[in-house]
Amino acid sequence: MGINQKMYELGNKRSIIREIFEYSKKRGAEIGAENVYDFSLGNPSVPAPKEVNETIVKLLAEKNSVLLHGYTSAQGDAGVRKTIADKINRDFNVGISPDLIYMTCGAAASLSISLKALIAEEGEEVIVFAPFFTEYRVFIENAGGKVVVSTPMEKTFQVDVADFASKITPNTKAVIMNSPNNPSGVVYSEETVKAVCDILKAKSKEFGHPVYLIADEPYRELVYAGVSVPYLMNYYDNTLVCYSYSKSLSLPGERIGYIAICPKMQDALPVYLAVCGAGRSLGYVCAPSLMQQVISLCLDAQVNVAAYKENRDLLYDNLSAYGYECVKPDGAFYLFVKSPVKGDAFAFYEKAKAHEILVVPCDDFGVTGYVRIAYCTAKEKVLGALPAFKNLAKELGL
Amino acid sequence: MGINQKMYELGNKRSIIREIFEYSKKRGAEIGAENVYDFSLGNPSVPAPKEVNETIVKLLAEKNSVLLHGYTSAQGDAGVRKTIADKINRDFNVGISPDLIYMTCGAAASLSISLKALIAEEGEEVIVFAPFFTEYRVFIENAGGKVVVSTPMEKTFQVDVADFASKITPNTKAVIMNSPNNPSGVVYSEETVKAVCDILKAKSKEFGHPVYLIADEPYRELVYAGVSVPYLMNYYDNTLVCYSYSKSLSLPGERIGYIAICPKMQDALPVYLAVCGAGRSLGYVCAPSLMQQVISLCLDAQVNVAAYKENRDLLYDNLSAYGYECVKPDGAFYLFVKSPVKGDAFAFYEKAKAHEILVVPCDDFGVTGYVRIAYCTAKEKVLGALPAFKNLAKELGL
């Protein structure tokens, strides 16, 4: 009778990102951190808007400590949920009630709880669109589900609608759509969204039960040049939105987000109650109470998205000019680059490393032969890295 | 193909505490909140020590926002873990390393993660000592385990060692010990702890595998009149301590605590890695980052325990004098009272309610015929309730 071997392996197996992180620290100590061009981590590099810290100080000064730091109800403070519902209705006009909002400890919690609420039987399938955030696999499997990968269109990395249609079966419980996408930076177009939702509607009807759509959108606000991200509830009723303030307010460590259930979902209330049950079952008592108040008072605050856009333009324009094949990112803070070394992501990673550039090979994200460049970093780092990328391009004969 | 029915039921089934909470609000609106003697909720009533808010303001002023609100490593900030390890070693001399501390989103997360890390096969058993916090059942079952209840000694509510010995089998994976206890307020004596640990040692040897001891101790600091709570790592090597700052710093809504693995545990490192894996699997990315820093700078701060003691003395002394049979609480903020109405907890609850006194019938806590009085409330509320308790005693012929 041993411990849980699967959990041991999950804890013991370092992700490639973690490996690179450790290497980066070591290498920085050897040659100076300023000489390592580390683009491996998706940790926001712009500070929280000043309203965040100002609001914290104000709340501490004005609010009763027992209330401010006390338990909220499990689904979140009622007033906070009301401000969030109001904002969703203002922005997307979906008529959601605060009683269909469930506050969470961030996007990972939102996804874990939603999947646990929906998946009823071992082996029910959840479709993810490649490339996809690797932790989806962990959350889906924890809920007893099976990951089914839908491969994307070449070059654009939009959904391959025919492939998606072929992957959906009577055993499909849910589909996760992440836009803007980690790791590609792609924003799924309205055309893509409509095509996906048409298939979901037809298949739900055919199977006689809903196939749920989970919108994972922590990067919603990080979009460039007027691109807008379709709000999935407006295209498909059986939608759950998993949101987090990690990127929109640069608060990734504070673990604050929510799940919103589409009011037109055919079984909205039972799904909401199952979400409450799943949160309880996974040990989430309530989302952090001070941060609930803080975000509700900072819903319209914005981080400096222009800083990310500047990095995107510098990297996309220059790397393309050097001969790299890049997917143009309309959002998030990732650039997805095809390996020029025989299409081998790991080989490209190694070559780049020799030039002190650290990128993430993405085979685990469901697409082979690409690396991710996380440009949530200081502009100086990007500027410093450009000559190294240029030299590497020359060396690779691009 | 429906949603997860078990999660739906967990979300839909209101706990009795929740029912009472709703009734209390309604009744307060009718007759004035000051006239309802609500002792149902275990929500700390004394504010966080002033150091907490001062530390938050100082951190916001001095620390870089990206670092302060950013992701920490999954197991928690290394510096924070060091200060906690140092404090544990100072207080209990166990020689723990920071690398055996895992920061969590509070005690419920600590327990959920520990159970998930340990339980390998569906149906492995976890022994809980009655009376026990009802959510243990939810956490154990989520991890695939089966709850086995050990009944306590009468009157003292210490562990019935013979009963415990009879409940432990080769299928026992872990034992949870909660001291000071919710809902009885009892602190398990050193004699009890030694007896339990002797059995655990003998049985682990007999079975050829460790039976783990999980110490759930969010109430450790809330003890009265010089009583001390034995630190279980000093009595048994295969111990995991689940701690939370919810009560010791009055921060229940902030969700901050830790798991500490005994350095003498025979497989300490694999268990720690399984804890890391389980945290990842349940969707916990890291414990809230600002609060990690805050508690590490407030480890020696104390809430006003004297206020709880005053309430305890008022209630225990007077209710005993009125003729109620009370278990003397040495810790936490609960008084456990035997129902004088044919030993029927719910009947007593109803009779008390007619006097505007709200207590929690505890049959779900694994002991029938008792109610819990949560005295984490203003002294005025206790003083106001005493005449009502006296009238009720007269009515019941005590």
Side-chain angles (χ1 to χ4, degrees), chain B residues 101-117:
Chain B
I101 309 276
Y102 178 90
M103 302 303 298
T104 66
C105 293
S110 299
L111 287 165
S112 301
I113 292 170
S114 297
L115 289 160
K116 179 93 182 171

Side-chain angles (χ1 to χ4, degrees), chain B residues 241-252:
Chain B
V241 173
C242 291
Y243 187 80
S244 155
Y245 295 91
S246 291
K247 278 77 187 189
S248 64
L249 293 178
S250 281
L251 297 172

Side-chain angles (χ1 to χ4, degrees), chain B residues 21-44:
Chain B
F21 176 75
E22 299 294 338
Y23 172 81
S24 173
K25 273 203 299 192
K26 181 175 145 281
R27 189 64 181 152
E30 287 164 12
I31 64 167
E34 70 283 7
N35 297 313
V36 181
Y37 307 116
D38 184 349
F39 297 103
S40 61
L41 274 187
N43 204 359

Side-chain angles (χ1 to χ4, degrees), chain A residues 1-15 18 42-48 52-54 56-57 60-61 63 65-66 68-75 105 108-109 112 116-120 124-125 134-135 138-139 142-143 170-173 209-210 212 246-247 250-255 267 269-271 273-291, chain B residues 1-15 18 42-48 52-54 56-57 60-61 63 65-66 68-75 105 108-109 112 116-120 124-125 134-135 138-139 142-143 170-173 209-210 212 246-247 250-255 267 269-271 273-291:
Chain A
M1 181 190 250
I3 60 172
N4 189 315
Q5 203 57 28
K6 199 167 167 185
M7 294 305 115
Y8 168 74
E9 280 157 22
L10 266 183
N12 190 40
K13 194 186 149 196
R14 274 191 177 172
S15 71
R18 185 85 204 158
N43 205 356
S45 54
V46 306
V52 165
N53 285 1
E54 286 169 5
I56 296 175
V57 171
L60 294 178
K63 274 236 178 184
S65 166
V66 168
L68 188 61
H69 299 303
Y71 293 115
T72 70
S73 72
Q75 64 266 49
C105 294
S112 301
K116 178 96 183 170
L118 295 175
I119 295 173
E124 287 180 0
E125 293 169 0
T134 51
E135 293 298 286
V138 176
F139 305 149
N142 180 61
N171 203 29
T172 307
K173 178 48 77 66
H209 61 77
Y212 296 94
S246 292
K247 277 78 186 188
S250 281
L251 298 172
E254 304 301 355
R255 314 311 304 140
D267 49 358
L269 182 62
V271 169
L273 291 171
V275 161
C276 293
R280 188 176 162 193
S281 162
L282 297 175
Y284 293 100
V285 171
C286 63
S289 49
L290 170 63
M291 284 298 152
Chain B
M1 181 191 251
I3 60 172
N4 189 315
Q5 205 54 30
K6 198 166 169 186
M7 294 305 115
Y8 167 74
E9 279 157 22
L10 266 182
N12 191 39
K13 196 187 147 194
R14 274 191 178 169
S15 71
R18 185 84 203 159
N43 204 359
S45 54
V46 304
V52 165
N53 286 1
E54 287 168 3
I56 295 174
V57 172
L60 294 178
K63 274 236 180 184
S65 167
V66 168
L68 188 61
H69 299 302
Y71 293 116
T72 69
S73 71
Q75 63 266 49
C105 293
S112 301
K116 179 93 182 171
L118 295 175
I119 295 174
E124 289 180 357
E125 294 170 359
T134 51
E135 293 298 284
V138 177
F139 305 148
N142 180 61
N171 202 28
T172 308
K173 178 47 78 62
H209 61 76
Y212 297 94
S246 291
K247 278 77 187 189
S250 281
L251 297 172
E254 304 301 356
R255 315 312 303 142
D267 49 359
L269 181 62
V271 169
L273 291 172
V275 160
C276 294
R280 188 177 161 191
S281 163
L282 297 175
Y284 293 99
V285 172
C286 63
S289 49
L290 170 62
M291 283 299 153

